[in-house]
């Protein structure tokens, strides 16, 4: 009993004393009329009433304790990842619909039964872990991405003691120490009936080298096609590079094999590996994989033949040797047939000039043939130059450096055809007053002569270059593009470029270009301009993509429609200015020719950007980057979703996952409610409810009071007191 | 007015030079690619062998495809054309005045950016005179690099002739010394007085006798001269792999 008295205690005691006194007085009065026994009865009844009323003033109360048992809420996860959208073998519905039916169907459905016993919350496990109401269940659709199940359970463990997952097992799962909640898995999809052939993996090297075999490791997986022989095709765009037949030996088989080919052209190649769709396949989007492969040169191989030892040779050799991407083989004619040797061969370091081997056999192994003031007529007849013309026509590069011994002698030879300048057959070498060089309008923006990204700075740079003493006075052909010309009196072309067949040709009609090196050093401006000029000259001639000031680096794997696709963009800092000036923009055009939204952000290093866009359609997307100093365009294949999807139900994986969490793997035939029951009650928690009851508010107290008063009244009436 | 003696001397010299002149190379007849630019410095004696050019250029043109000029250019370190000279030649007998800091800076820039210097102590006195002054200057100009004997497989010993020993008017060192930066040796130094062995007067007579080896030693000096000039144009060309089997076979 406890409670706070309504009146102060002293008042209650006074009232008690008064009541007691009144009862004694009453007893005395009644005894005289009814006798002692009857007086005692009536007095006790009155005393009872007084005591009862006074007890109200003490505010008596009782505390009731009641123990309660609470069941923890349960999370039901419904896998909505891509494979859950696959049709079941009956073809009537998807795995996701199957899972929904499992939850909802029947008079006593699993969801209803669980909801009746315990608090249940539904979650969709797709793009993200998303809670949803029961009414939304029928609207759920499979998504393209999936979150990591282990991360999802990590999030849920604070609120739930148990999770139930309905899935086909194609989930991301990173095995962790089991500190989370137990997971009960209920499989959907039929492992036995599933039939599919897919390209599971394509492993490519990060870079391939032109002319060298590239090995691509392909892994094919199949379900339900034992004994089938499949043609596997490797294509570059629509061009077939390699085909190979593979035989599937077992019902569930995985085969890894190499596909090799030799890339012939540098640049970004859009390759694909594919297998044909088979009858009864559950999924055909995974029968092909698209990917990009960047093909570069291993080294630019240059064959240089110099007519005599010279400053031109030494500085050009130094520039070429300093470039680690160049493999230089040079021959310098140290003595001519008219020179007289005064020592036996054992005392000479001279080696034979292997004309036949070089021009008939080995030339195709080089990227660039460079004649430096080389008078061929003393060493071989003009027919030997025929392979040079073929070499250029087939894609090789040729460059001729001027000097007193050349050009006029090449008139009427196959080389004359490929040069971008006209040969007269007359002596064309001029060595008189030095000639200044200046950029032509074409040269101002040509990659070879654009040594600085800033146009004005570039013009200034060429104006500062030392004058040239020795120049071959030539006329450009109409097909030739003059990049540098003499700046005084008549304009003679100094640097002329052109194309012949698939190859590129360059004529530098001076043997004094080395003065651009030493002259700038003399001015205290360093040798970089000459070195860059030679580097750019070589790279332009050999069509090296690295020459481009702007480069788009595509992702290794093709993009997927509906998913964000990213590309890297680098601006090559080609001058001494710390940052490229101007604005860079990115545009993406879809296969229908429509421009789609794209975003461009800078990354940490200067000149590096990341572009992103959301392709909605499959097919080739054109990505164009424009800058004030040039633009570049690349194509990126966008494939339909599911290219890399292995949709086979992975029930064993579900079993493993549930076991690792301390949960259980249930099969469809199990009594699901019964199996779940032990887990539902296991983590119930208890609490004791305390309730305080004030006695005066109880009805039976009033009844006792009324009973006492009624009894007293009845007895008084019977005994003649009323 | 020309004297009788001068007239005779000129006529005789012309006749001898025409007689001694070898067959001119047909190929590079147009314009010179090579000439000696000789450094004139303060103090000492900057031009101990004023007649060294002619015979050397003739030999160069006779044996190699290099087109040379007999015109010697006398220069200083302040010459604006210094950086365009294919070979800067410096010779002396005696100690010379130290270079100024500005001269050292120019020479350092020249040597570290592709220039080439061939220097000679024509007396051959180690640690004295020109030798001492030159070594001191090199230490100041290229303090991190040592002037030292070049190994037998250095490109300068095989740039044209396969040379095992260096001749000269005298035979102080059978080797050349040099300062090497990476794969390039921009400074070559000899104390054998190569230019003394090359010197020929206008009558075609050798100015100096070569001791102790006589004419073979002179011939060796010319070979060294040709190798030095070819090296200045071809750098380490003879180190390319394509040359290895030939050179190895001939050296065995």
């Amino acid at each position: 009993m406890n409670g706070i008295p309504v009146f102060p205690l002293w008042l209650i005691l006074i009232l008690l004393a008064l009541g007691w006194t009144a009862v004694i007085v009453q007893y005395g009065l009644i005894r005289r009329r009814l006798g002692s026994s009857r007086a005692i009865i009536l007095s006790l009844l009155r005393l009872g009433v007084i005591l009862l009323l006074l007890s109200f003033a003490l505010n008596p109360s009782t505390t009731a304790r009641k123990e309660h048992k609470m069941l923890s809420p349960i999370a039901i996860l419904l896998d909505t990842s891509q494979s859950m959208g696959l049709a079941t073998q009956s073809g009537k519905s998807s795995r996701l619909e199957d899972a929904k039916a499992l939850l909802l169907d029947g008079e006593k459905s699993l969801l209803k039964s669980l909801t009746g016993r315990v608090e249940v919350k539904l979650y969709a496990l797709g793009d993200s872990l998303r809670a949803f109401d029961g009414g939304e269940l029928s609207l759920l659709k499979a998504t393209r991405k999936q979150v990591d199940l282990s991360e999802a359970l990590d999030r849920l463990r604070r609120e739930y003691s148990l999770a139930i997952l309905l899935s086909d097992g194609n989930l991301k799962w990173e095995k962790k120490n089991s500190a989370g909640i137990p997971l009960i898995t209920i499989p959907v999809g039929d492992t036995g009936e599933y039939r599919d052939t897919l390209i599971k993996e394509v492993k490519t090297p990060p870079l391939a080298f032109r002319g060298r075999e590239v090995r691509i490791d392909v892994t094919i997986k199949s379900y339900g096609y034992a004994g089938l022989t499949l043609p596997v095709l490797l294509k570059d765009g629509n061009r077939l590079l390699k085909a190979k037949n593979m035989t599937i030996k077992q019902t569930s088989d995985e085969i890894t094999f190499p596909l090799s080919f030799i890339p012939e052209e540098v640049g970004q190649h859009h390759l694909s590996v594919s297998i044909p769709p088979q009858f009864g396949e559950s999924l055909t989007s995974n029968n092909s994989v698209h990917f990009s492969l960047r093909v570069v040169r291993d080294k630019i191989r240059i064959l240089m033949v110099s007519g005599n030892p010279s400053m031109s040779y030494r500085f050009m050799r130094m520039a070429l040797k300093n470039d680690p991407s160049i493999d230089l083989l040079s021959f310098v004619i140290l003595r001519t047939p008219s020179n007289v040797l005064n020592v036996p061969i054992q005392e000479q370091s001279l080696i034979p000039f292997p004309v036949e081997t070089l021009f008939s056999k080995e030339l195709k192994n080089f990227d660039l043939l460079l004649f430096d003031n080389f008078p061929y007529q003393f060493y071989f007849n003009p027919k030997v130059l025929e392979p040079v013309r073929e070499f250029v026509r087939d894609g090789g590069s040729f460059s001729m450096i001027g000097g007193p011994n050349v050009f006029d002698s090449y008139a009427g030879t196959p080389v004359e055809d490929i040069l971008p300048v006209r040969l007269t057959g007359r002596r064309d070498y001029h060595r008189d007053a030095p000639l200044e060089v200046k950029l032509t309008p074409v040269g101002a923006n040509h990659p070879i002569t654009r040594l600085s990204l800033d146009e004005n700075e570039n013009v200034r740079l060429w104006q500062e270059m030392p004058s040239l003493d020795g120049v071959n006075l030539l006329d450009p052909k109409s097909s030739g593009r003059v990049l540098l010309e003499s700046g005084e009196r008549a304009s003679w072309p100094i640097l002329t470029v052109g194309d012949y067949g698939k190859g590129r040709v360059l004529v530098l009609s001076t043997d004094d270009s080395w003065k651009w090196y030493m002259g700038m050093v003399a001015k205290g401006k360093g040798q970089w301009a000459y070195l860059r000029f030679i580097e750019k000259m070589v790279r332009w001639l050999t069509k090296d993509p690295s020459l481009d000031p702007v480069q788009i680096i595509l992702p290794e794997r093709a993009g997927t429609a509906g998913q964000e696709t990213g590309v890297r963009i680098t601006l090559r800092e080609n001058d001494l200015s710390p940052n490229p000036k101007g604005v860079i923009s990115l545009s993406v055009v879809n296969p229908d020719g429509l421009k789609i939204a794209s975003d461009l952000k800078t990354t940490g290093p200067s000149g590096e950007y990341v572009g992103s866009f959301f392709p909605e359609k499959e097919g080739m997307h054109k990505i164009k980057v424009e800058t004030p100093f040039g633009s570049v365009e690349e194509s990126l294949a966008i494939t339909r979703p599911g290219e890399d999807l292995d949709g086979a139900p992975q029930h064993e994986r579900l079993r493993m996952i549930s076991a690792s969490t301390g949960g259980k793997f249930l099969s469809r035939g199990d009594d699901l409610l019964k199996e779940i029951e032990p887990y539902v009650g296991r983590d119930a928690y208890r609490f004791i409810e305390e309730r305080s009851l004030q006695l005066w508010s109880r009805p039976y107290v009033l009844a006792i009071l009324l009973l006492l008063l009624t009894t007293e009244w009845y007895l008084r009436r019977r005994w003649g007191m009323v | 007015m020309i004297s009788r003696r001068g007239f005779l001397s000129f006529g005789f010299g012309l006749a001898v030079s025409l007689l001694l002149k070898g067959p001119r190379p047909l190929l590079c007849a147009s314009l010179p690619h090579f000439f000696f630019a000789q450094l004139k410095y303060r103090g000492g004696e900057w031009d101990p062998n004023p007649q060294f050019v002619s015979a050397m250029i003739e030999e160069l043109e006779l044996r190699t495809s290099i087109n040379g000029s007999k015109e010697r250019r006398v220069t200083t370190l302040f010459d604006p054309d210094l950086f365009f000279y294919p070979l800067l030649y410096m010779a002396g007998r005696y100690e010379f005045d130290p270079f100024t800091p500005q001269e050292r800076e120019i020479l350092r820039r020249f040597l570290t950016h592709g220039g080439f210097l061939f220097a000679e102590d024509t007396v051959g006195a180690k640690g004295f005179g020109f030798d001492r002054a030159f070594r001191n200057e090199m230490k100041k100009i290229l303090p991190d690099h040592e002037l030292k004997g070049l190994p037998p497989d250095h490109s300068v010993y095989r740039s044209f002739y396969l040379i095992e020993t260096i001749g000269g008017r005298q035979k102080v060192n059978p080797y050349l010394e040099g300062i090497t930066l990476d794969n390039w040796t921009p400074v070559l130094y000899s104390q054998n007085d190569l230019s003394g062995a090359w010197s020929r007067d206008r009558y075609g007579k050798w100015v100096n006798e070569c001791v102790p080896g006589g004419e073979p030693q002179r011939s060796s000096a010319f070979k060294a001269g040709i190798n030095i000039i070819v090296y200045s144009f071809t750098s380490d060309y003879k180190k390319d792999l394509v040359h290895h089997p030939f050179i190895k076979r001939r050296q065995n």
Side-chain angles (χ1 to χ4, degrees), chain A residues 310-328:
Chain A
S310 66
M311 293 295 269
S312 171
Y313 170 77
R314 178 153 77 81
F315 281 88
M316 200 161 284
R317 174 189 170 85
M318 181 185 62
L320 298 175
K321 282 277 183 184
N322 275 349
D323 189 333
S325 68
I326 289 175
D327 192 3
L328 173 70

Side-chain angles (χ1 to χ4, degrees), chain A residues 38 43 53 70 114 123 152 159 163 226 289 296 307 329 338 465 523 557 561 658 716:
Chain A
R38 289 187 177 183
S43 297
L53 289 171
M70 290 292 289
L114 286 172
Y123 286 90
E159 296 176 53
V289 164
V296 296
L329 175 63
S338 59
M465 291 285 200
K523 290 179 182 179
R557 288 295 294 270
S658 51
R716 278 176 184 261

Side-chain angles (χ1 to χ4, degrees), chain A residues 302-308 312-313 316 331 353 355 358-359 363 368-377 380 384-385 387-389 391 397-403 406-407 409-410 413 415 418-419 506-508 510 537 541:
Chain A
I302 299 177
L303 172 61
M304 182 177 183
V305 184
S306 282
N308 59 338
S312 171
Y313 170 77
M316 200 161 284
F331 288 90
F353 182 33
V355 173
L358 280 180
F359 292 100
L363 193 55
L368 169 61
L369 173 63
L370 210 157
F371 280 178
D372 167 32
N373 190 27
F374 172 59
Y376 79 92
Q377 70 272 24
F380 49 78
V384 177
L385 293 172
V388 175
R389 180 162 59 184
F391 167 72
S397 320
F398 178 69
S399 176
M400 191 172 266
I401 313 295
V406 289
F407 291 119
S409 61
Y410 285 88
T413 70
V415 166
I418 63 177
L419 293 179
L506 177 145
V507 167
L508 180 59
T510 176
M537 187 180 90
L541 278 165

Side-chain angles (χ1 to χ4, degrees), chain A residues 314 333 349-350 378 431, chain B residues 27 31 65 158 232 238 250:
Chain A
R314 178 153 77 81
I333 306 297
S349 69
L350 310 183
F378 294 98
R431 196 160 209 173
Chain B
L27 195 59
L31 290 162
S65 57
R158 52 178 65 173
S232 76
K238 284 293 172 183
R250 289 170 195 173

Side-chain angles (χ1 to χ4, degrees), chain A residues 404-676:
Chain A
N405 302 328
V406 289
F407 291 119
D408 51 342
S409 61
Y410 285 88
T413 70
V415 166
E416 184 182 14
D417 293 346
I418 63 177
L419 293 179
V421 291
R422 249 181 247 115
L423 305 181
T424 59
R426 287 180 278 107
R427 273 284 195 214
D428 52 42
Y429 192 68
H430 160 91
R431 196 160 209 173
D432 198 352
L435 294 175
E436 285 182 2
V437 291
K438 67 173 185 184
L439 280 170
T440 63
V442 178
N445 288 304
H446 196 277
I448 297 179
T449 40
R450 192 69 186 261
L451 303 182
S452 167
L453 292 178
D454 185 279
E455 193 171 349
N456 295 329
E457 196 179 312
N458 196 48
V459 171
R460 273 198 302 276
L461 185 67
W462 280 105
Q463 283 171 346
E464 277 186 284
M465 291 285 200
S467 303
L468 304 172
D469 294 341
V471 173
N472 295 86
L473 306 181
L474 303 164
D475 290 323
K477 286 180 183 170
S478 57
S479 60
R481 301 185 293 282
V482 180
L483 309 183
L484 293 173
E485 61 186 8
S486 61
E488 294 166 2
R489 301 186 294 268
S491 291
W492 298 103
I494 303 295
L495 182 66
T496 313
V497 295
D499 300 300
Y500 184 80
K502 293 181 185 173
R504 287 180 171 174
V505 189
L506 177 145
V507 167
L508 180 59
S509 46
T510 176
D511 54 343
D512 272 345
S513 63
W514 64 274
K515 289 187 175 172
W516 294 335
Y517 181 107
M518 288 304 272
M520 295 303 267
V521 169
K523 290 179 182 179
K525 301 206 168 179
Q527 72 277 39
W528 67 269
Y530 174 83
L531 296 177
R532 190 164 294 163
F533 167 69
I534 297 296
E535 183 204 349
K536 283 170 151 268
M537 187 180 90
V538 168
R539 294 192 188 285
W540 180 83
L541 278 165
T542 54
K543 299 177 186 171
D544 194 309
S546 68
L547 189 64
D548 302 331
V550 190
Q551 287 191 52
I552 299 174
I553 299 162
L554 300 176
E556 280 181 24
R557 288 295 294 270
T560 305
Q563 287 184 18
E564 188 183 30
T565 302
V567 293
R568 273 200 314 125
I569 295 149
T570 58
L571 302 188
R572 194 157 172 254
E573 293 196 25
N574 259 358
D575 66 354
L576 298 178
S577 56
N579 287 303
K581 300 178 185 77
V583 179
I584 171 174
S585 67
L586 169 73
S587 59
V588 181
V589 175
N590 73 9
D592 297 336
L594 299 173
K595 196 171 173 181
I596 61 171
S598 58
D599 188 32
L600 188 68
K601 287 177 185 168
T602 54
T603 56
S606 170
E608 293 211 359
Y609 298 81
V610 171
S612 59
F613 59 98
F614 278 92
E616 291 296 331
K617 297 197 166 189
E618 303 158 35
M620 280 294 175
H621 283 58
K622 285 183 180 170
I623 302 163
K624 189 172 186 181
V625 176
E626 289 178 281
T627 69
F629 41 86
S631 63
V632 66
E633 193 173 292
E634 285 280 5
S635 296
L636 178 66
I638 299 294
T639 61
R640 58 182 160 159
E643 187 170 83
D644 55 352
L645 177 65
D646 181 354
Q650 304 290 331
H651 292 178
E652 280 310 307
R653 187 171 155 76
L654 284 179
R655 189 188 297 278
M656 180 273 293
I657 292 171
S658 51
S660 70
T661 62
K664 194 171 185 181
F665 173 83
L666 303 180
S667 61
R668 299 289 291 272
D670 291 338
D671 183 344
L672 299 178
L673 267 178
K674 190 179 168 188
E675 293 291 343
I676 292 169

Side-chain angles (χ1 to χ4, degrees), chain A residues 705-719:
Chain A
L705 185 66
L706 289 174
L707 182 66
L708 288 173
L709 288 170
T710 310
T711 307
E712 186 187 350
W713 178 80
Y714 173 75
L715 290 176
R716 278 176 184 261
R717 190 177 175 88
R718 184 168 181 155
W719 292 336

